[in-house]
Amino acid sequence: MSIFEQYGCRKVINASGKMTALGASAVAPVVGDALSAAAKDYVDVSELLVAAGKVIASVTGAEDGCPTTGAAAGTAIAVASVIAGTNLSLIESIPHTNGVPNEIIIQKGHAIHFGASITQMISIGGGKVVEVGQANHVEKAHIAEAVCENTAALFYVKSHHAVQKGMQSIQTMIAIAKEKGIPLIIDAAAEEDLRKYIAMGADLVVYSGGKAIEGPTSGMICGRASLIEACRAQYHGVGRPMKIGKEGIIGFLTALQRYDERPDESEQQLERMKWLIEQLKDTPGVSGTILQDEAGRAIYRAQLAIDSKVTGKTAYDVIKELEAGNPAVYTRNHYANLGLINIDPRPLLAGQEEIIVARIKQVLAKGN
């Protein structure tokens, strides 16, 4: 029995991905041990924040870093840092920022919902959101012409949730930021390359600690030293209700330091998904294919097309029944309206693909 089952929660098989709603990642034993050890001791948290920044810098190639409770908190703190800096009066005024540059320019196709609204996170940090262009088409001029004396930063979202075509590139955003003398913040929450965007010239980059890094609920901001100092200063203001504890920081740092040493499991994950599709190939009304992640990462998911005319059930019906069981099976359902269900292999524990196959067959057998 899992620790969650002891409190009356059902067992969960996560075939959806590194999703906050499902607890993001199951951490490695060494990370769990670090969490436990930190929870049983004391530390000067201000010293720990600075020490954590050095570790973040060493891994990412940035000048400094700041740990956070997650990428959403990182977004709010990063925005607050470019508006308030280390000025205590301004820090204490966030999110009320009239009278100082507070506009954050974002491409309209990047004004996403990731479980919450990215524009709301920017607003929490005191930013006045300025969306430019159209949802499927943004010109460089849309961004450059929006910059004015009230502009605090440009904001770029690198995510599968964002519109993937018709948007201006990171390189274009960096060029505009340099030309205009304003910072560029990149939300790279689930991205796997922890060095790329700093090396490209971004001023602040926000990551989740519980997704690709496979740490506990946590995150980080990395970037220019002066801006990171301002990020830490926000813990005296808007960052206070979203502060990360000692155990979260140590768990995150442990996961971060082992990040480059983790084995590449993408080939094994691909083979597991090929096996899953093979097991379902003779199931009436189900056809499977392998689909690479929308953002180009080395993630290969099984995509199952449900033909409701044959199965008597829509993809939504199948999803509902999978989630209602015990164990509850959660799949990736961004395209369920098209009759598609995706299986993400990354969070699956050993042998769980076998349970998923059996459950899908069971659900569909009840419809015939």
Side-chain angles (χ1 to χ4, degrees):
M1 178 181 291
S2 76
I3 194 165
F4 303 113
E5 290 176 283
Q6 293 176 29
Y7 289 91
C9 298
R10 289 175 299 151
K11 183 175 180 59
V12 164
I13 294 178
N14 178 7
S16 182
K18 304 296 182 69
M19 310 297 288
T20 299
L22 297 176
S25 292
V27 303
V30 66
V31 177
D33 291 344
L35 281 161
S36 176
K40 298 171 185 175
D41 206 347
Y42 297 95
V43 69
D44 183 322
V45 174
S46 63
E47 287 184 9
L48 181 57
L49 288 173
V50 173
K54 294 177 181 178
V55 176
I56 291 169
S58 70
V59 173
T60 63
E63 293 178 4
D64 201 353
C66 177
T68 68
T69 53
T75 291
I77 290 171
V79 168
S81 77
V82 300
I83 295 171
T86 57
N87 184 304
L88 184 57
S89 295
L90 290 178
I91 289 170
E92 292 178 343
S93 75
I94 298 289
H96 307 294
T97 55
N98 292 334
V100 297
N102 63 356
E103 293 185 358
I104 306 296
I105 297 172
I106 185 172
Q107 300 182 73
K108 190 173 287 291
H110 286 191
I112 62 168
H113 190 280
F114 61 93
S117 165
I118 192 71
T119 57
Q120 184 180 28
M121 300 306 108
I122 293 171
S123 298
I124 289 171
K128 179 181 178 182
V129 178
V130 178
E131 296 181 23
V132 298
Q134 287 76 46
N136 65 340
H137 183 78
V138 178
E139 297 281 355
K140 179 179 180 181
H142 285 132
I143 303 165
E145 291 169 0
V147 177
C148 66
E149 66 275 6
N150 292 322
T151 303
L154 304 184
F155 196 95
Y156 188 97
V157 179
K158 178 62 178 173
S159 168
H160 68 277
H161 291 297
V163 174
Q164 299 298 316
K165 62 180 180 179
M167 299 296 105
Q168 291 297 308
S169 67
I170 292 174
Q171 290 91 336
T172 297
M173 296 285 277
I174 289 171
I176 295 171
K178 301 301 182 190
E179 178 187 344
K180 302 291 186 179
I182 53 176
L184 170 65
I185 302 169
I186 296 181
D187 177 346
E191 288 299 290
E192 297 178 326
D193 193 327
L194 305 183
R195 300 179 180 89
K196 178 177 180 179
Y197 306 114
I198 289 295
M200 290 174 69
D203 298 284
L204 290 174
V205 186
V206 179
Y207 291 93
S208 169
K211 294 184 179 175
I213 297 171
E214 297 183 355
T217 300
S218 58
M220 69 176 177
I221 311 166
C222 55
R224 280 173 28 203
S226 60
L227 290 176
I228 293 297
E229 181 184 4
C231 288
R232 285 194 290 266
Q234 305 312 310
Y235 282 120
H236 297 291
V238 71
R240 181 70 178 181
M242 54 186 80
K243 63 183 184 292
I244 182 170
K246 59 188 179 182
E247 59 283 339
I249 295 173
I250 292 299
F252 166 71
L253 292 180
T254 304
L256 183 64
Q257 288 177 297
R258 68 185 292 272
Y259 185 72
D260 288 333
E261 279 69 52
R262 295 178 311 153
D264 180 1
E265 298 179 340
S266 58
E267 284 299 320
Q268 297 96 310
Q269 292 167 359
L270 175 59
E271 290 305 312
R272 292 172 78 183
M273 293 301 94
K274 287 180 178 178
W275 178 90
L276 183 145
I277 289 171
E278 178 68 19
Q279 299 305 304
L280 292 171
K281 71 176 184 179
D282 295 326
T283 303
V286 179
S287 58
T289 187
I290 298 295
L291 191 69
Q292 187 174 358
D293 179 67
E294 302 97 318
R297 296 172 294 174
I299 302 168
Y300 300 93
R301 303 183 179 96
Q303 184 173 88
L304 306 178
I306 308 298
D307 186 341
S308 60
K309 294 179 180 178
V310 176
T311 64
K313 295 186 177 184
T314 67
Y316 285 115
D317 295 328
V318 175
I319 290 164
K320 184 177 180 180
E321 290 193 45
L322 289 174
E323 292 181 357
N326 191 7
V329 176
Y330 286 85
T331 53
R332 195 174 185 88
N333 307 320
H334 300 308
Y335 301 105
N337 61 309
L338 301 177
L340 303 174
I341 299 173
N342 286 356
I343 308 296
D344 192 318
R346 295 173 300 159
L348 294 181
L349 303 181
Q352 287 186 335
E353 65 270 26
E354 299 173 15
I355 299 174
I356 293 171
V357 167
R359 286 289 305 284
I360 290 174
K361 288 182 176 180
Q362 180 186 46
V363 166
L364 293 179
K366 290 193 297 182
N368 294 326

